[in-house]
Every structure is written in structure tokens, then in C-alpha cells.
Amino acid sequence: MGDLLNDGKPAWATVEAFVLACQQHATSQRLATPEGSFDPAGWRRKYKHAHGPTSALADASLHATGATAPPVSRRPAGAGIHSTVAGSVEPVISAGHIEIIGFGDTIRISQTAAGAHVPTQPLTGLVELPLDDGDLPAMRDLDPYQLGASPTEFGDRDTYRQQDQYVPRTRNNVDDVLRDKLVPGRLVVVVGPSKTGKTRTAFEAVQERWPDARVLAPVPALGQLARHPRIEGSTDLLVVWLDDLQRFLTTTDALTPAVLVQLTARPGPTLLIATLRREERDRLTADTGELTRDTRQLLNDATVIELGPTSDDDKEQAAARAAYPSADLSIVGLGERLAGAPQLLRQYRDAQPILLSIVQTAIDWARVGMQRPIPADDLTTLALDRLFHDHPELDPSDADIAAALHTARMPPRGAGRVAALRTVPLADGTRGYRVFDYLIAQDDNQTDAPRPIPTTFWDQALQRANPEDAFTIGITAYERSNLQITRSAWEISATAGNTAAMVNLGVLLSDYLQPPDLDRACVWYERAATAGHTDGMVGLGNLLSDSVRPPDLEGARTWYERAATAGNTDAMNNLGNLLCHSVRPPDLVGARTWYERAATAGNILAMNALGLLLAYELQPPDLKGGRNWLERGATAGDTDAMNNLGVLLAYELQPPDLEGARAWLERAATAGNADAMFSLGVLLAGKVRPPDLEGARSWYEAAATAGNTSALNNLGILLASQMQPPDLEGARVWYERAATAGDTIAMANLGGLLAGQVQPPDLEGAYVWYERAATAGNIGAMNSLGILLSSKMQPPDLEGARGWYEAAAAAGNTNAMNNIGAMLAYQVQPRDLEAARTWYERAAEAGHTLAMNSLGVLLCLEVQGPDLDGARTWYERAADAGNTDAMVNLGNLLSDQLQPPDLDGARAWYERAANSGNTNAMVCLGILLSDQLQPPDLGGARAWRERAATADTDGRHPEGSRVPITPNTAPPST
């Protein structure tokens, strides 16, 4: 071990050598150690406390800092549908030992026989705070500076509570609200600009409410820590302290919703408190796709406490002046002033080129995602490169660089104890630097316009990155929309064996690259899956089922089953999707089994999918079960489940629960779900009584703004067909927006608006939009185009109309079958009654009541040798289905053509139609009563004629005539 003191205690040189050896081992194995673990001054104090004074010469040369965290996997967002936490570093339980498999050598932790004492794995290297006799410190024994607050001229770790009194945050009752929200099972995030007092505010609230709680201030490797025996199995109250939350969201072992569940599911109560700069929150919650889904979900589900500077509130600023009368608070808040932020910002903005290059290099080192300090050599080299690019005329000497660096790491006059660069001893005995985070915030748009990160700097950072650095740089580049660097960074990390990077590369190459590189995505997914990463299995399953052509459903099923069997609930959910929606015939029993396993395990996507399966796929539907699972998913916060639950309550349940539907749809819509906004608009416009058209319009517009093109179309319908008076110009604008976005229904409706509502009609414009929709496959537009060409254009284009009718009819459109029958029977010359009969019969057999009526007219009045029995049959089928025109025509047949006439039967059918509002039936009934019935019923005849005269006849017949009703067309489609 080295030399001993005379009393048998180790000499300081021996301790120093041992600490250096530990430091080198930690560095070589990439073990996570908190800053200061190898700090010579700290070890000297401990040594002196234990052994008394030693030679002053023994202080020399030991400089160290924490190594980066071991590279374990973060849950890569989604791999297509969704995925869960699974990583390249997972405990593998065997009979004699536990192996934690990582990038370095395997660490074997011996197990003892049953019943024997099992030593707890040490927390050293997993936490940033010094341990209290090997365990986590209590909240009451800490101060805010240990937890991340900036030291000031008024207070630091040695002088806490002497002159640095806390100024209560009374604006919006922040202190009271924060204390109330600090309950176990919840993540609370204090969000605000840099240096507004977020850490101090959080500290005071936690210490007041939970002084006896043990504090876990982790290094950025939360997944590994959540599985630690001290955390996973303990029953004491635990506060997880996450200062600068963004540090914990971009590593391979990041904080995810699943890790949050792990932490809060331990036997003892657990609460999580975090701080986050506002511009970081805005960047992290931006919708950048599936790869950042976990982060968005985590922050959206968290309880957020907004905190501004004291200068935003007169009362707080007055209290700050009273507590710190010597502080100049004329421009900024107390937090900024105590940290020396104004002086440091002024120094930065006024810096000469050499100093500016040094500070901007350190800022960008942090902004690209480097979590470790920038080494002095790298800082100097990169700063000189930047200086040459910005000021090629300058040629600084080594002394110039040294002077600028000295200025950067010393607090400017009046700035208290904080410098632009904080010096950090590195493991190799050299210096590293961390930049003052307030300057990062300024360059990231806290108050100034954001300063772009030079393109070359990303490459320079990657050249200096280890695999863990590269993974984090990839996440940061992705969040900053730099996909080229994202790919390069993850390829570095994946090539080194990081399976999370392999999975994320698969997602990037298949879902975000244009054009996609499916072959390379498959390679990376397969490498991760073969290495046991269940998200890689899920991603590969997604790729095989959804992206490759033709789909490899068997391959997808195999990978989903492997991941599902390993416990991946997203694989269970996706396997359910595959069995329900992709394989033929569907395996609903298998889908239900996997959905239930995933949903029971807490997967909210599976809760939603299971609810839909039970309510809409099963025969007969299980609405009660569907409602139950949708409610569980909705209660858990899934906005899709809220939307689907609202739709079920409004349209499937008997009787409908419109109030419940509206409540769930409003919750989902308010949370930003565009489908729910649309559904709420439909509910308000068409289901509630009386309709709330203004409310519907508002939600349609919100959905349209969120990108829902169906809402654009429905806005057009609302303005054109429901609002009084109609707003045809407004409707045209919304239809055109939807149509331009590719909505073929909107194209068809725009054609209908131009052809049938605007005055004068714009038939050419209608033709253009109908044809676009029809060419894109919209069957209704094919039929409408046939109507336009055959009935509205002058001269008619019957051949063109027939082509479009036949195209629509071939696709199963019964309106088109009926209309082509009418065209062949009444428009073409010579008439083709046999072909007309064929088309009418096809439509009628398919249930089209207009075609049944038209076929009756054809058989009764048009063919040679009328087929009255056939006509009567089709009239009766249409009449029984509620077609009042068929009732009139049936009455005509019974009273005028049947021999002998059946006047009682005719009267019955006329009365049914007349009582339903058919004015033609009223006229025919009047004629029957006055001219055919014996004796005549003149009073009854007069009464029906008067009702017909006062009714709107729609111009379909002259008074007293009895004519067959011609087919009509349908209103706009929603």
C-alpha cells in the first residue's frame, strides 16, 4: 500500500496514490462519479479530520473530476408505434452472481446463501452529493448550494443562512402552490429563465415540507439508479433532486415515463423535484416526432411551476430590496443580481475577439450536448479555430490566449463569486471548464435572438466525443433539427456497441430521412434486436409490417412475440395491432389476449386499442368492456382514449351520454388532441340540441390550425349548409384549403358548392375540382362529375358522364348505378331500356330505394308490355323502406293501372306519404277523393288540396298532376 505513519495510519502520499488509482479505474471503465469525487482538497480535509495535520508538501498534483456515466440505454422514442424502456445494460440474474453487462468489463456482485446478510451495493458513482456514512443525506442536513444554487457574495456552503435570507416567492403564490404539489408519486418541475431562483425556491419548499426525507441527487443515469437495491427496495421517504432536468433527458439511461414509474413504484414514498430553464423546456416539448415522445410525455404529465424573476412583481422586488439593501435591483431581479449575471453578460457582450471566441466555444460545447467539462486543450484549439474563422486578421500569442482564459475564469468586478468559466479538475490532472449557464440561456433565446451553433463546431465536437458523448450529441442535434449530425453521432455510438443508438438510428433512417433508407434501418434494428434490445425488436417488427413492400407479417410477428415474451408492453400492443388489423383473417382472440396483457401491465396505448377492439371489432360489440378500457386509458392521460371514449358515449351508447362525451372531448381537445377538437366540432354541430354552431366553428378552426384537414372540410360545410345566412365565400376558402391539402372529400364538396350554391354557378371550376377528386379515387366525386356532365353542362357530355358513372358503379356506388340507369332510360338517344333496367336492378338489389322507385317507374310506364306485378313489388319495397315518392307511385298504380283498381290500397299509400309531408301525395289524394271515390269525399279532397297549396311543392309538379319522381342527388359529404 505504500508508506505508513508511525502510528500505523496511511501516509498522505499513500492515500493520494490510492485515490489516483481509483480515479484512473473509474475513467477507464467509464464509471459515473460525481464531481469532486477525486477532488484533492476534499480528500485532504477528510484526511486531516481523521489523522491530524500532515506535511504541506503532500497537497501537490491530485486533480480529478467525475467521469461520464456508463453507457446504458435510454428508451428510444418509439421505433414506429411505441416502445418502452429496455437497454443494453440490464441485470441478468443467474444462480451464482448478478452480471451488469455494459461497455467495460463485467462487474460481478457476489450473492450469499438464503437468509444471510446481503451487503447493499454502494451508491458511490451514482449520486452527486457526498454520502452520509455510506447512505443518502437527509434534507434537513443540506443547503441549496450543494444542490445547485449559485454561490454569491452573500452566501455559500460555508455561510448558508448567515446573510443569504430567502425572499418568499409570492407572485401567483408560488411557494404555497409548490409546497402543496410536493407529494409522493409526482414529478414537479420549476420552470423559469436562468438565475431566477429556481433551485433555491425548490430547496426551501422541500426542506420545509419534507425535512426528514433522504435526498437522491443522481448523476444522469436514472434507469440504472432506479434498479439499485438501496432505491428499489427501501421504504423511507425519498426526494429525487434533478437540478437542470435537461441533463437527465438526453443520455442513454435517461429519465423516461417508464423510469419514473420504476422510481415511484418502490415500497417507500418517492417525490421528484426538478428545475428547468424556460428555453430548454420550450425546446424539449416541441413536437419533433417519435424520437422525443418520451420527453414530451414526461414534461406534459409533470406538474409545472412557473417562476419569473423578482423584477416581474413589485411586491417580490420590494421584499428583495429590503432583504438585500446593498444589491442594485434597478434593472434585474434578485437571482440575477446575486449571481452576477448582469456583469457577466456585459463582459460577454463587450468581449474582445479572443475572449469572445473562448466563451462562445465553451457555450457551444454545452449547447451541442457535451455534458462533461471542456478540456483546456480542446477549449484553446477550438477557440483559435473560431477566432481564425471570424477574425483571420488576428494572430494571438500564447500569452494573449492565457490572458483571455484567465479573464474568463475570474469573476468580473461586481459579479460576486461566479465567473464565465468555472474551472474543474480533470482525471488526467489538467483543467476543464464549465460555462456559466446564464450565458447559455442568452445564446439560446432567453432575452436575445438565438445565436446559431456553427456547422463546423458539431463536427469538431464529434471528433472529440466518446460513445456516450456521441449519443447525447445525437439527441441534442435531433432536438435542434440537425439530422445530418444526429445520424453521424448515433453511428459513432452504435458502432461502439450502444444498442439504444442502434434503435434510434433505425427510427431516424426509416421515419425521418428523405428518402428513407430502409435497408440500413433494418440492419441497425436487427443488430440491436439480436443483442437483446427489445425496442430494436419492436422497431424491426414495425419496419417489416409497415414499411417494407410487400410487408413481411410473419417476420414482424416473430420479432413482436420475442419482445412481448420478454415483457415489452409496446410489443404486446403492436402484436395486438398486427393480429387485429393486418393479418387475414384477423385473429381477434389473439389480439385481445395481447392487448389485455399490455393494458393490465399499464400500457395506455393498449388500453385504448383494447377499448376499440371490444366496442367496434367484436361481434356482438362489448360496449361495457370497451367503455371500461377507454376510461382507464383516458384517466391515465391518453388523449386518444379520451377522444374515442367521447365518440363512443355520443354515437354508440344507447341512450347517448352527450354530456359525458362533451366532457371527455373537451379534456382531450384542451390538451391539444386535434382529432378531439374535430370530434367536438362534429358533436356541437350535429348532435347536441340546439346545435352550438359557434362552438363547433371554434373547435373546427382549432383542429384545422393543428393540421386536421377534415376540420377544414367540415368548416366549409358548416358555413355553406348550416349557418344562417350561409357564408359561401368563407366556405369556399375552407374547402379550397382542404382540397389543396389533398382532401378529396373537400374537393368534391367544393365542386358541389361551385355547381349548385354560388350564383351564378361556376361549372368550369366545379368540373376541375370534381375531376381532381375523381381522378384521386373519390367515388362520390365520380358520380357528381357524371351528374355535372349529363345534367348541367351545355351541351351535355353523355359519353363522358357514362364513363364516370360506370367507374363509380364499378366501385360499388349505388347512386351512380341509379343515375346511369336514369341516363340510359331518359337522356340517351335511342333509349336503352334494357341496360337501364340492369343498372336499376343492381342498385335496387343493393338496397338503393331511389333505384327501387325508378325501377318501378320503368316497369310500369316505360317498357313495352308493362310489368305491373314487378313494378308493384319494387314500389312496395321502396315504400316499406320509407320512400314517399314510391308510396305516391304505388298509389298511382293501384288507383289508375290495376284492374280492377284498389282504391282503398291507393288511399292508404297516399295518406302515408301525405302525412309524411309529400305534397305530391296530397294532390293525388285530393284527386282520388273527389274524382274516383264513390261517393266522392269533396270535403276531404278540398282539405288535402289546401294543404298542398300552402306547402312548398319544390316546383316538382303542377297542381293536379301525377308524375313519377326522378332520382335526386345527395348533399355534401362529411
Side-chain angles (χ1 to χ4, degrees):
M1 280 288 293
D3 297 335
L4 298 177
L5 298 177
N6 292 334
D7 58 1
K9 298 173 184 176
W12 166 245
T14 301
V15 174
E16 181 180 36
F18 176 74
V19 173
L20 276 172
C22 291
Q23 172 197 18
Q24 291 164 0
H25 176 75
T27 303
S28 67
Q29 299 302 315
R30 300 183 178 90
L31 300 178
T33 58
E35 285 189 20
S37 295
F38 308 108
D39 177 19
W43 280 101
R44 283 286 287 161
R45 284 195 298 271
K46 293 177 182 179
Y47 185 86
K48 289 178 180 178
H49 178 73
H51 305 299
T54 60
S55 167
L57 296 178
D59 278 345
S61 78
L62 182 60
H63 301 286
T65 185
T68 57
V72 293
S73 288
R74 79 175 290 194
R75 167 226 181 281
I81 296 178
H82 277 294
S83 59
T84 56
V85 173
S88 59
V89 181
E90 297 178 352
V92 181
I93 311 273
S94 60
H97 61 270
I98 297 177
E99 295 183 354
I100 302 180
I101 305 170
F103 281 101
D105 296 336
T106 297
I107 303 172
R108 284 181 168 78
I109 304 169
S110 298
Q111 291 184 312
T112 58
H117 173 68
V118 182
T120 301
Q121 293 174 246
L123 286 165
T124 305
L126 297 176
V127 295
E128 293 184 338
L129 286 177
L131 299 176
D132 181 9
D133 292 331
D135 199 7
L136 301 172
M139 188 70 201
R140 63 166 122 44
D141 297 329
L142 296 175
D143 61 69
Y145 307 105
Q146 292 173 281
L147 292 170
S150 299
T152 74
E153 60 184 306
F154 295 94
D156 56 21
R157 292 179 58 181
D158 297 326
T159 62
Y160 174 54
R161 291 201 186 282
Q162 294 179 20
Q163 301 180 65
D164 57 349
Q165 70 180 82
Y166 177 65
V167 174
R169 308 311 298 267
T170 55
R171 187 184 190 196
N172 298 324
N173 297 315
V174 163
D175 286 339
D176 294 338
V177 172
L178 180 54
R179 282 192 297 270
D180 289 343
K181 299 297 184 184
L182 287 171
V183 295
R186 176 180 289 172
L187 169 63
V188 179
V189 185
V190 182
V191 175
S194 181
K195 303 308 165 192
T196 53
K198 299 183 295 296
T199 303
R200 180 69 184 269
T201 300
F203 172 84
E204 297 292 339
V206 176
Q207 192 172 66
E208 179 176 338
R209 180 156 189 191
W210 304 106
D212 296 324
R214 293 286 180 170
V215 179
L216 174 65
V219 299
L222 274 170
Q224 181 180 355
L225 196 57
R227 300 186 293 270
H228 192 282
R230 168 63 182 88
I231 310 305
E232 189 177 43
S234 58
T235 59
D236 51 350
L237 174 62
L238 197 63
V239 172
V240 181
W241 188 274
L242 305 171
D243 200 47
D244 291 331
L245 179 61
Q246 73 276 3
R247 296 186 300 137
F248 302 90
L249 301 176
T250 56
T251 66
T252 51
D253 203 14
L255 177 63
T256 67
V259 172
L260 180 61
V261 169
Q262 278 186 286
L263 287 169
T264 55
R266 55 184 288 274
T270 307
L271 63 94
L272 295 90
I273 180 73
T275 65
L276 185 64
R277 297 199 310 270
R278 184 176 294 163
E279 80 281 353
E280 286 283 0
R281 186 269 308 274
D282 295 342
R283 182 167 61 86
L284 292 168
T285 55
D287 189 356
T288 50
E290 182 64 22
L291 283 168
T292 53
R293 174 175 61 91
D294 266 356
T295 295
R296 293 195 306 277
Q297 181 183 337
L298 192 79
L299 293 175
N300 289 334
D301 292 345
T303 298
V304 174
I305 306 295
E306 298 281 353
L307 184 69
T310 58
S311 55
D312 283 355
D313 183 80
D314 291 341
K315 184 178 179 181
E316 284 189 356
Q317 193 76 331
R321 288 192 177 97
Y324 295 87
S326 63
D328 180 7
L329 301 181
S330 58
I331 299 175
V332 296
L334 179 63
E336 294 166 283
R337 176 58 63 193
L338 295 184
Q343 291 87 346
L344 285 163
L345 184 58
R346 186 180 308 113
Q347 180 192 62
Y348 176 46
R349 288 173 172 168
D350 296 342
Q352 295 299 308
I354 301 174
L355 176 60
L356 183 65
S357 295
I358 288 173
V359 176
Q360 286 185 340
T361 297
I363 290 172
D364 288 345
W365 181 267
R367 292 170 77 204
V368 299
M370 282 288 201
Q371 294 203 1
R372 57 186 175 88
I374 181 170
D377 287 347
D378 287 334
L379 177 61
T380 302
T381 300
L382 296 176
L384 285 172
D385 285 347
R386 182 185 299 256
L387 183 67
F388 180 76
H389 178 272
D390 295 342
H391 295 279
E393 74 280 4
L394 297 180
D395 185 18
S397 65
D398 291 344
D400 294 331
I401 297 294
L405 190 55
H406 181 269
T407 299
R409 65 181 188 233
M410 298 300 293
R413 183 182 300 274
R417 302 184 180 183
V418 178
L421 299 183
R422 175 166 62 90
T423 306
V424 180
L426 299 183
D428 61 0
T430 62
R431 289 188 176 93
Y433 298 98
R434 292 192 183 277
V435 72
F436 184 42
D437 59 1
Y438 187 80
L439 300 181
I440 300 174
Q442 296 306 311
D443 277 354
D444 265 345
N445 197 28
Q446 175 161 303
T447 58
D448 300 336
R451 178 176 62 81
I453 299 172
T455 302
T456 55
F457 193 86
W458 289 99
D459 296 319
Q460 291 171 325
L462 276 182
Q463 292 167 10
R464 292 160 172 79
N466 61 39
E468 173 68 12
D469 294 335
F471 182 86
T472 304
I473 290 172
I475 293 288
T476 306
Y478 176 79
E479 291 169 347
R480 293 181 182 271
S481 302
N482 191 332
L483 297 187
Q484 181 179 351
I485 291 296
T486 300
R487 180 176 184 174
S488 299
W490 283 341
E491 284 176 344
I492 292 171
S493 189
T495 301
N498 186 319
T499 55
M502 298 175 194
V503 174
N504 281 6
L505 266 175
V507 178
L508 183 76
L509 296 173
S510 62
D511 296 347
Y512 295 93
L513 201 66
Q514 293 302 326
D517 187 348
L518 299 183
D519 290 338
R520 290 300 298 166
C522 189
V523 168
W524 286 115
Y525 276 143
E526 195 163 6
R527 283 186 60 180
T530 303
H533 197 304
T534 58
D535 285 342
M537 301 174 195
V538 173
L540 188 52
N542 294 342
L543 191 75
L544 296 175
S545 65
D546 299 337
S547 300
V548 301
R549 291 293 177 268
D552 179 3
L553 298 184
E554 281 305 311
R557 182 172 185 170
T558 298
W559 285 111
Y560 284 151
E561 285 177 345
R562 281 187 59 179
T565 303
N568 187 306
T569 61
D570 284 325
M572 300 174 195
N573 176 66
N574 291 1
L575 184 52
N577 291 340
L578 184 83
L579 297 176
C580 184
H581 302 294
S582 299
V583 302
R584 291 292 177 268
D587 179 4
L588 298 185
V589 174
R592 181 174 184 173
T593 298
W594 285 111
Y595 281 150
E596 285 178 343
R597 282 188 58 179
T600 303
N603 188 299
I604 60 176
L605 296 176
M607 296 174 192
N608 179 56
L610 181 56
L612 294 177
L613 174 79
L614 297 175
Y616 296 100
E617 303 291 342
L618 286 187
Q619 294 302 325
D622 178 4
L623 295 182
K624 182 178 180 181
R627 178 177 182 174
N628 173 62
W629 281 110
L630 289 176
E631 283 178 344
R632 288 184 60 175
T635 303
D638 184 70
T639 59
D640 287 332
M642 296 176 196
N643 174 63
N644 292 337
L645 179 57
V647 172
L648 182 141
L649 295 176
Y651 297 96
E652 304 299 330
L653 205 63
Q654 294 302 326
D657 178 5
L658 299 185
E659 285 302 314
R662 183 170 185 170
W664 281 113
L665 292 176
E666 284 179 344
R667 276 189 61 179
T670 303
N673 188 297
D675 289 338
M677 298 173 192
F678 174 75
S679 298
L680 187 53
V682 173
L683 183 81
L684 297 177
K687 198 74 173 175
V688 301
R689 290 295 177 268
D692 179 3
L693 298 184
E694 285 301 325
R697 181 175 185 170
S698 176
W699 282 114
Y700 281 150
E701 288 177 347
T705 301
N708 188 303
T709 57
S710 296
L712 300 173
N713 176 62
N714 277 23
L715 269 169
I717 295 171
L718 183 78
L719 297 177
S721 305
Q722 293 179 275
M723 298 290 269
Q724 293 302 323
D727 178 3
L728 298 185
E729 278 305 309
R732 181 172 184 168
V733 168
W734 288 111
Y735 281 148
E736 285 179 345
R737 282 186 58 183
T740 303
D743 189 319
T744 61
I745 295 176
M747 296 176 195
N749 288 346
L750 180 54
L753 179 83
L754 298 176
Q757 288 185 273
V758 301
Q759 294 301 324
D762 179 2
L763 299 184
E764 290 299 326
Y767 178 86
V768 168
W769 286 110
Y770 277 148
E771 189 178 40
R772 280 187 61 178
T775 303
N778 187 293
I779 300 167
M782 299 175 192
N783 179 58
S784 297
L785 191 51
I787 294 171
L788 183 75
L789 294 173
S790 65
S791 303
K792 297 190 178 185
M793 288 291 200
Q794 294 302 324
D797 178 3
L798 298 184
E799 281 304 311
R802 182 170 185 169
W804 285 112
Y805 280 148
E806 288 179 344
N813 187 290
T814 55
N815 285 333
M817 298 175 193
N818 176 71
N819 290 348
I820 195 173
M823 187 179 77
L824 295 173
Y826 299 107
Q827 289 184 277
V828 301
Q829 295 299 328
R831 301 163 72 188
D832 187 349
L833 298 183
E834 280 304 313
R837 179 174 182 170
T838 299
W839 282 110
Y840 279 148
E841 285 177 344
R842 282 186 59 182
E845 292 291 356
H848 196 287
T849 59
L850 294 178
M852 297 174 192
N853 178 58
S854 299
L855 184 54
V857 172
L858 186 78
L859 297 175
C860 182
L861 301 177
E862 305 297 343
V863 299
Q864 293 298 320
D867 178 2
L868 298 186
D869 288 338
R872 182 173 183 173
T873 298
W874 285 112
Y875 281 151
E876 286 177 345
R877 285 186 59 177
D880 287 337
N883 187 299
T884 60
D885 293 330
M887 298 175 194
V888 174
N889 289 344
L890 182 53
N892 292 345
L893 182 144
L894 296 175
S895 64
D896 294 344
Q897 294 175 278
L898 198 64
Q899 294 301 323
D902 179 3
L903 299 184
D904 289 337
R907 180 174 184 174
W909 284 112
Y910 284 150
E911 286 178 345
R912 275 188 63 179
N915 286 326
S916 296
N918 188 302
T919 54
N920 206 14
M922 299 173 193
V923 172
C924 293
L925 185 54
I927 295 172
L928 177 78
L929 295 177
S930 65
D931 297 348
Q932 294 178 280
L933 198 63
Q934 295 300 322
D937 180 1
L938 299 180
R942 183 182 304 110
W944 281 112
R945 287 175 182 273
E946 287 174 353
R947 281 187 62 179
T950 58
D952 179 15
T953 65
D954 237 2
R956 293 193 298 175
H957 58 82
E959 178 91 11
S961 67
R962 289 187 291 187
V963 295
I965 307 301
T966 55
N968 64 348
T969 57
S973 305
T974 59

